[in-house]
């Protein structure tokens, strides 16, 4: 899948990669672990694992709307994971994760593709109105979060922390 | 707790905020013992670096006592007196493994803000804008320190709080700058800037065996401090610096030049006027006078070690680097690589950063301290805050 090829789709599709100093097997297991997606996607959506393959996504969209969908993982090969949304999704979408060995002892190159196909009524509003996070940022931050989790067991955060706003504790 | 907060361009106030909490299992909470001003803070205060938010706590150079420990912290204990480098580093990633700690791959919580500016996020920094991670700073009673086992260094009993404080940033930055020069027998090192980082670079070059160190500044009290460390001090307002450097090096030029000035460089004449006007109009963020002079003065095949903090500078004479075959080395400090040996140098009396603390304030007087530091009032080299 190369979702970003069609220029007309650029705003609704994104692709990014990171290199992680861990073997592909370990990264694949970590990605499929039940609490991984909820943690690495928290900037974009609330993800709730339903079973090993299916996850429920919900996202607070602008104008007080909540968008919901379910995704199902279809494994294709040991170096590849792919998922698509199930029927009834507010915003139909698909994603794929590719693992490739990095040169030397650099570990594994992890490439994430996502593509959103909103129905006609929604697409007219543009991506900026549809999501609070554009797909490019969603993909990049998910990968950075995933790398941090794989290497350190935690995801860097500053929330909440002291600041002279919001009653002294920034959210 | 009380904390020194940025509330807009040139608007600092001490405010009451919530205490920091442990957020990740490798965090600790530090009771700040001492913190200090850094020249790079002035870029934030003056609004030259965007992505500050009103209410952010400043401060990235500090030491203190561990008062709370996260569940996965194994080495650092409650009650330890520690110094912490300014950059948050995980110790696990590609860059940390190569001791490039300020380039850590995993410690930046807001990579989406840094990636458009630099291509890739740096490590996170305490109190240094959201494009650099947005971590709360250390001009406060307490500060949260992630990856404590990697980033906290126990201060030996015979090293004072003041000395340890500067081993957080000024000393490792200066030491790294001298390290970049790969100092060989007979080398003469010129250092632009006699602030905290510049003085530490000068002393570090001596520790590394430089034949001579030449210090360049305009403030008599700073030049006197450089001389006290053993450097030859030059007032750039009184002489032709490039000519004098040639004279002092038998016509060769300094083997390496360290820029410890950065984007706020003062200069003279038309070049200075050009830079200042462009900076004031936000056409560029930097006044590069010191860096350009260092490039001119450096001997052929020499090393240019850039420690001064820059934004996005235009008018950069690349031809000087190519035609003179200069090696350009630069980084934000990889402090974790240097702190252990700096503490040893301090114990042996070879590294003496404590005199940088020319003025001491309570945290409540933080805005006054920054004002004196910014305007170099009363010879203020560094303002140190004790909460």
């Amino acid at each position: 899948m190369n979702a970003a090829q069609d220029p007309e789709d650029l705003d609704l599709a994104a692709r990014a990669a990171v290199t992680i100093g861990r073997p592909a097997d370990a990264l694949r297991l970590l990605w499929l672990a039940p609490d991984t997606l909820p943690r690495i996607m928290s900037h974009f959506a609330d993800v709730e694992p339903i079973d090993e393959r299916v996850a429920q996504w919900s996202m607070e969209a602008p104008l007080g709307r909540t968008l919901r969908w379910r995704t199902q993982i279809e494994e294709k090969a040991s170096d590849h994971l792919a998922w698509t949304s199930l029927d009834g999704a507010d915003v139909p979408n698909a994603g794929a994760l590719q693992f490739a060995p990095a040169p030397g002892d650099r570990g594994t190159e992890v490439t994430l593709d996502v593509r959103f196909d909103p129905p006609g009524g929604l697409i007219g509003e543009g991506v900026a109105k549809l999501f609070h996070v554009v797909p490019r940022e969603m993909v990049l931050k998910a990968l950075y979060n995933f790398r941090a989790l794989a290497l350190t067991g935690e995801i860097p955060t500053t929330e909440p922390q002291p600041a002279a706003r919001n009653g002294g504790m920034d959210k | 707790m009380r904390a020194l907060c940025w509330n807009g361009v040139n608007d600092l106030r001490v405010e009451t905020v919530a205490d920091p909490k442990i957020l990740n299992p490798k965090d600790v909470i530090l009771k700040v013992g001492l913190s200090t001003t850094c020249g790079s803070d002035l870029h934030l205060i003056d609004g030259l670096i965007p992505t500050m938010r009103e209410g952010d706590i400043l401060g990235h150079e500090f030491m203190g006592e561990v008062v709370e420990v996260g569940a996965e912290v194994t080495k650092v204990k409650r009650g330890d007196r520690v110094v912490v480098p300014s950059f948050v580093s995980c110790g696990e990633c590609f860059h940390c493994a190569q001791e490039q700690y300020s380039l850590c791959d995993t410690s930046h919580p807001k990579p989406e803000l840094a990636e458009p500016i630099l291509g890739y996020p740096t490590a996170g920094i305490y109190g240094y804008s959201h494009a650099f991670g947005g971590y709360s700073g250390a001009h406060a009673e307490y500060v949260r320190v992630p990856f404590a086992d990697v980033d906290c260094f126990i201060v030996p009993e015979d090293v004072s709080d003041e000395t340890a404080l500067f081993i957080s940033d000024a000393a490792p930055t200066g030491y790294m700058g001298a390290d970049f020069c790969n100092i060989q027998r007979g080398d003469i090192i010129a250092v632009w800037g006699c602030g905290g980082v510049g003085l530490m670079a000068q002393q570090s070059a001596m520790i590394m065996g430089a034949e001579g160190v030449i210090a360049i500044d305009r403030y008599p009290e700073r030049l006197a401090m450089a001389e006290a460390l053993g450097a030859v001090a030059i007032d750039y307002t009184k002489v032709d610096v490039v000519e004098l450097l040639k004279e002092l090096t038998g016509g060769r030029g300094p083997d390496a030049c360290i820029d410890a000035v950065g984007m706020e460089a003062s200069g003279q004449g038309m070049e200075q006027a050009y830079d200042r006007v462009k900076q004031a109009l936000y056409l560029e963020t930097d006044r590069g006078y010191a860096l350009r002079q260092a490039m001119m003065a450096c001997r052929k095949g020499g090393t240019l070690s850039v420690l001064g903090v820059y934004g996005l500078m235009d008018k950069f004479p690349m031809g000087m680097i190519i035609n003179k075959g200069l090696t350009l080395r630069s980084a934000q400090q990889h402090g974790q690589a240097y702190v252990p040996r700096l503490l040893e140098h301090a114990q042996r009396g070879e590294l003496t950063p404590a005199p940088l603390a020319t003025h001491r304030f309570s945290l409540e007087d933080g805005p006054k301290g920054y004002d004196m530091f910014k305007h170099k009032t009363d010879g203020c080299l560094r303002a140190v805050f004790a909460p």
Side-chain angles (χ1 to χ4, degrees):
Chain A
M1 174 176 178
N2 191 349
Q5 272 180 346
D6 182 354
E8 288 182 5
D9 288 334
L10 277 180
D11 285 341
L12 287 167
R15 177 189 189 123
V18 289
T19 297
I20 307 177
R22 293 285 185 271
D25 296 355
L27 295 175
R28 182 187 174 84
L29 276 176
L30 178 63
W31 187 275
L32 292 170
D35 63 344
T36 295
L37 277 184
R39 296 183 71 184
I40 68 169
M41 293 292 179
S42 65
H43 61 292
F44 177 69
D46 289 326
V47 185
E48 188 190 336
I50 303 295
D51 62 32
E52 284 184 353
R53 301 277 153 204
V54 179
Q56 172 74 41
W57 299 61
S58 65
M59 186 177 83
E60 299 300 318
L63 305 174
R65 194 161 46 189
T66 302
L67 301 173
R68 294 187 180 83
W69 63 86
R70 281 190 177 194
T71 53
Q72 179 163 327
I73 290 176
E74 314 148 357
E75 272 186 70
K76 288 187 178 167
S78 63
D79 61 352
H80 189 78
L81 285 173
W83 55 92
T84 54
S85 56
L86 299 175
D87 288 348
D90 287 338
V91 184
N93 65 86
L97 196 68
Q98 189 83 39
F99 302 102
D105 56 1
R106 286 169 171 76
T108 305
E109 295 173 0
V110 181
T111 304
L112 176 61
D113 276 291
V114 296
R115 179 193 192 97
F116 294 90
D117 298 303
L122 283 176
I123 198 168
E125 299 176 32
V127 172
K129 282 190 182 171
L130 185 61
F131 297 137
H132 60 99
V133 177
V134 297
R136 161 78 188 160
E137 188 177 319
M138 175 269 203
V139 163
L140 192 74
K141 195 156 180 173
L143 284 173
Y144 279 120
N145 285 345
F146 182 60
R147 177 166 63 187
L149 189 64
L151 294 177
T152 72
E154 53 183 62
I155 291 172
T157 184
T158 56
E159 295 171 4
Q161 68 174 359
R165 54 180 177 261
N166 301 327
M169 188 61 110
D170 201 17
K171 302 294 186 289
Chain B
M1 67 171 183
R2 300 288 281 168
L4 179 59
C5 301
W6 184 91
N7 283 301
V9 174
N10 293 313
D11 181 3
L12 299 181
R13 288 177 235 160
V14 179
E15 313 223 29
T16 299
V17 300
D19 290 352
K21 298 194 293 195
I22 301 252
L23 299 181
N24 269 328
K26 297 182 175 105
D27 295 353
V28 296
I29 303 295
L30 222 62
K31 183 178 194 301
V32 177
L34 295 174
S35 65
T36 184
T37 56
C38 173
S40 61
D41 292 332
L42 300 178
H43 314 326
L44 304 174
I45 295 168
D46 291 346
L48 291 177
I49 293 179
T51 75
M52 288 293 288
R53 290 182 61 199
E54 291 173 13
D56 283 346
I57 303 170
L58 285 176
H60 62 262
E61 189 161 2
F62 61 103
M63 56 80 58
E65 182 192 330
V66 177
V67 292
E68 204 182 329
V69 176
E72 290 178 21
V73 176
T74 59
K75 294 184 204 156
V76 178
K77 295 182 296 295
R78 190 181 298 198
D80 284 349
R81 187 172 65 116
V82 298
V83 55
V84 180
S86 310
F87 283 80
V88 181
S89 307
C90 74
E92 299 283 347
C93 70
F94 175 81
H95 292 288
C96 287
Q98 298 188 65
E99 299 199 322
Q100 298 170 337
Y101 291 98
S102 69
L103 307 178
C104 175
D105 265 339
T106 72
S107 66
H108 196 312
K110 299 169 183 176
E112 70 279 9
L113 296 181
E115 200 238 9
I117 303 169
L118 297 173
Y120 312 89
T122 63
I125 318 180
Y126 302 94
Y128 205 77
S129 87
H130 294 263
F132 289 97
Y135 285 97
S136 280
H139 294 327
E141 292 177 74
Y142 298 93
V143 64
R144 168 185 161 242
V145 175
F147 302 118
D149 285 334
V150 178
D151 293 0
C152 290
F153 294 85
I154 293 175
V155 180
E157 273 183 26
D158 54 348
V159 173
S160 70
D161 283 359
E162 282 79 4
T163 295
L165 167 64
F166 295 109
I167 292 177
S168 167
D169 188 3
T173 302
Y175 195 90
M176 181 186 71
D179 195 28
F180 283 163
C181 299
N182 186 25
I183 295 170
Q184 305 294 310
R185 199 169 72 89
D187 277 0
I188 293 180
I189 311 299
V191 180
W192 274 254
C194 296
V197 171
L199 290 168
M200 288 297 95
Q202 292 157 27
Q203 197 168 42
S204 299
M206 291 171 201
I207 291 170
M208 292 173 198
E211 183 77 22
V213 173
I214 303 170
I216 300 146
D217 206 300
R218 69 184 300 174
Y219 295 97
E221 64 278 4
R222 295 186 177 205
L223 291 167
M225 288 179 83
E227 276 179 339
L229 293 177
V232 173
I234 294 180
D235 178 347
Y236 68 80
T237 64
K238 299 217 167 85
V239 297
D240 181 328
V241 172
V242 175
E243 280 307 309
L244 183 56
L245 286 173
K246 281 186 182 174
E247 205 177 306
L248 291 169
T249 58
R252 300 184 303 278
D255 298 279
C257 292
I258 299 176
D259 170 2
V261 177
M263 64 162 87
E264 304 264 16
S266 306
Q268 291 177 292
M270 280 308 292
E271 189 182 356
Q272 140 82 357
Y274 170 87
D275 281 346
R276 188 68 196 95
V277 166
K278 287 199 77 172
Q279 194 179 38
L281 295 173
Y282 293 94
L283 293 172
E284 66 171 342
T285 54
D286 308 312
R287 310 204 298 261
Y289 191 83
L291 181 57
R292 288 193 283 264
Q293 192 172 61
M295 293 165 93
M296 177 62 91
C298 195
R299 80 153 161 82
K300 293 182 288 180
T303 297
L304 199 59
S305 170
V306 182
L307 304 176
V309 172
Y310 288 91
L312 307 168
M313 188 205 294
D314 68 355
K315 206 165 175 258
F316 185 79
M318 196 61 208
M320 204 102 76
I321 292 187
I322 295 165
N323 292 306
K324 293 175 70 180
L326 301 180
T327 297
L328 179 63
R329 294 292 308 272
S330 189
Q332 297 269 24
Q333 61 138 327
H334 303 312
Q336 288 82 347
Y338 296 109
V339 169
R341 76 183 91 159
L342 290 170
L343 289 168
E344 287 173 20
H345 284 307
Q347 283 181 291
R348 291 198 292 266
E350 296 155 355
L351 184 84
T352 56
L356 304 183
T358 54
H359 292 72
R360 192 161 172 149
F361 300 87
S362 70
L363 181 62
E364 294 298 321
D365 285 332
K368 184 181 163 200
Y370 264 103
D371 189 65
M372 285 189 73
F373 172 64
K374 178 178 178 177
H375 297 105
K376 303 177 177 69
T377 313
D378 186 35
C380 183
L381 183 86
R382 283 294 184 93
V384 170
F385 306 129

